[in-house]
Amino acid sequence: MQYRPLGRTGLRVSEIGYGAWGIGGLYWVGAQEQESLRALHTAIEQGVNFIDTARGYGESERLVGQVVREHRGDPVYVATKVPPANMIWPAPTGVHPDEAFPGAHIRESLETSLRASGLEAFDLLQFHVWQDEWIGRGDWLETIAALKEEGKIRFFGVSINDYQPGSVLDLVRSGHVDAVQLIYNVFHQTPEESFLPACAEHGVGVVVRVPLDEGGLTGQITASTTFPADDFRNNYFAGDRPAQVEQRVDALVADLGVPRDRLAELALRFVLDAPEVSTIIPGMRSVRNVQRNVAVSDGQPLPAEQRATLAKHRWERNFYQP
């Protein structure tokens, strides 16, 4: 496992982190608790030391906390998220921060997360949405400072709105934030334009979510793909979107000249090729997922010609919207 600095925090995190949304039992249907626990244990045993969860991920915080507490000899860093008090995703403009992240709500959510996980503190506390217009308004910054002083969190971050890397640039430059989580993958390359350089300049850690486009970059989504009832992917891959993905992936693997089952590996390597990235957090609901993803962290760079080929397949769109 290779390790990278999480911005200026002093933490060195595994470049393959653990995205724990899918094991929580909400939105992603089909997770089995015992397999999830085995996957978490396997990840830590293979060097993963950064786990990302959230208050809104069902049983995820409980499972993560249980496993981390059983690995007290291993330095494992856990990040969680505070949902907006108004429960609006993504954060719209024109909303006062006291409607989304009033201090009392931040504290209450964190205390609930600590009880659910059984942990004494979180290494990174993130707001689950963000708008730069909140800087200098409300009492969220004072609350974060107090929670750090009390030892309940070590660092502060935000998880920004889908496909809006420009929405956090003022916060990155302000010095108030230690890490930012965002979407970055072969299809969504916009973060390379302004976001990644800004984070490098200001020492802000970069946590990349959705490196495989919710499965689109695994090569397994086809026009005939279906998902269990109540699984959020029924909306993400609604209508003819699976067919669109299949067509894009067909062109991508043909251009690369590789077997379809290598696409996920190369997609992860594409993201890791950016030196500004601290860690990527693919979802891993099984031991097999862990083993496949961890194997990518072998210190081998992505060949320049493959990176150039992948970069040509940029496809900016937002499947989270209807």
Side-chain angles (χ1 to χ4, degrees):
M1 176 63 69
Q2 306 296 305
Y3 297 86
R4 302 183 179 198
L6 184 67
R8 60 175 178 269
T9 64
L11 303 183
R12 291 191 63 81
V13 295
S14 54
E15 63 181 18
I16 303 295
Y18 195 110
W21 178 21
I23 67 173
L26 290 177
Y27 307 112
W28 285 79
V29 175
Q32 302 296 317
E33 181 164 316
Q34 290 307 308
E35 180 65 12
S36 297
L37 292 171
R38 284 191 291 269
L40 281 164
H41 280 294
T42 300
I44 294 171
E45 290 160 4
Q46 295 195 9
V48 171
N49 75 349
F50 183 87
I51 303 175
D52 177 81
T53 182
R55 181 84 293 270
Y57 289 174
E59 296 299 313
S60 180
E61 287 178 328
R62 175 179 64 81
L63 298 177
V64 169
Q66 175 181 330
V67 171
V68 169
R69 285 184 281 111
E70 294 173 5
H71 284 267
R72 289 197 180 275
D74 301 297
V76 180
Y77 306 118
V78 181
T80 196
K81 305 182 195 75
V82 178
N86 58 9
M87 299 302 287
I88 299 176
W89 273 272
T93 58
V95 172
H96 195 280
D98 284 347
E99 296 180 43
F101 293 105
H105 168 71
I106 296 167
R107 182 176 290 276
E108 180 183 3
S109 178
L110 172 62
E111 296 288 359
T112 303
S113 294
L114 290 171
R115 289 193 297 272
S117 65
L119 300 174
E120 297 177 357
F122 284 98
D123 298 286
L124 180 65
L125 183 70
Q126 306 160 101
F127 289 174
H128 214 149
V129 295
W130 177 256
Q131 282 289 350
D132 261 349
E133 63 189 46
W134 293 339
I135 297 172
R137 304 166 66 201
D139 63 351
W140 61 269
L141 187 58
E142 291 79 7
T143 302
I144 291 298
L147 293 173
K148 287 182 176 181
E149 182 67 24
E150 294 165 23
K152 294 179 179 179
I153 65 172
R154 297 178 68 186
F155 301 105
F156 169 64
V158 295
S159 179
I160 66 173
N161 295 349
D162 303 326
Y163 307 113
Q164 296 181 27
S167 69
V168 75
L169 294 179
D170 289 344
L171 182 65
V172 166
R173 294 165 182 148
S174 73
H176 298 323
V177 72
D178 300 301
V180 173
Q181 181 179 140
L182 84 168
I183 298 172
Y184 173 42
N185 57 47
V186 170
F187 291 151
H188 177 55
Q189 300 177 32
T190 306
E192 297 174 2
E193 297 168 7
S194 299
F195 172 81
L196 292 179
C199 287
E201 179 182 354
H202 295 279
V204 173
V206 176
V207 179
V208 172
R209 69 178 189 267
V210 199
L212 297 175
D213 186 46
E214 304 293 14
L217 285 163
T218 64
Q220 297 179 16
I221 303 297
T222 70
S224 60
T225 298
T226 60
F227 302 98
D230 299 324
D231 192 297
F232 100 98
R233 288 170 294 178
N234 284 303
N235 293 322
Y236 189 83
F237 293 112
D240 70 344
R241 290 175 178 178
Q244 294 181 47
V245 170
E246 182 178 22
Q247 183 178 16
R248 292 276 181 167
V249 167
D250 284 345
L252 181 50
V253 295
D255 207 2
L256 285 166
V258 300
R260 202 178 189 86
D261 63 5
R262 278 204 65 202
L263 180 58
E265 172 210 336
L266 294 177
L268 294 180
R269 290 187 189 277
F270 176 87
V271 179
L272 291 175
D273 195 59
E276 302 91 343
V277 170
S278 305
T279 184
I280 60 178
I281 51 169
M284 298 188 279
R285 295 192 293 173
S286 68
V287 171
R288 182 169 177 265
N289 291 155
V290 170
Q291 292 170 335
R292 281 189 164 189
N293 291 337
V294 167
V296 174
S297 183
D298 56 9
Q300 299 301 311
L302 180 67
E305 60 185 42
Q306 286 189 328
R307 195 194 194 287
T309 299
L310 288 162
K312 289 191 301 182
H313 289 265
R314 178 172 176 162
W315 180 28
E316 300 289 347
R317 83 282 188 238
N318 189 349
F319 277 5
Y320 294 102
Q321 298 299 318

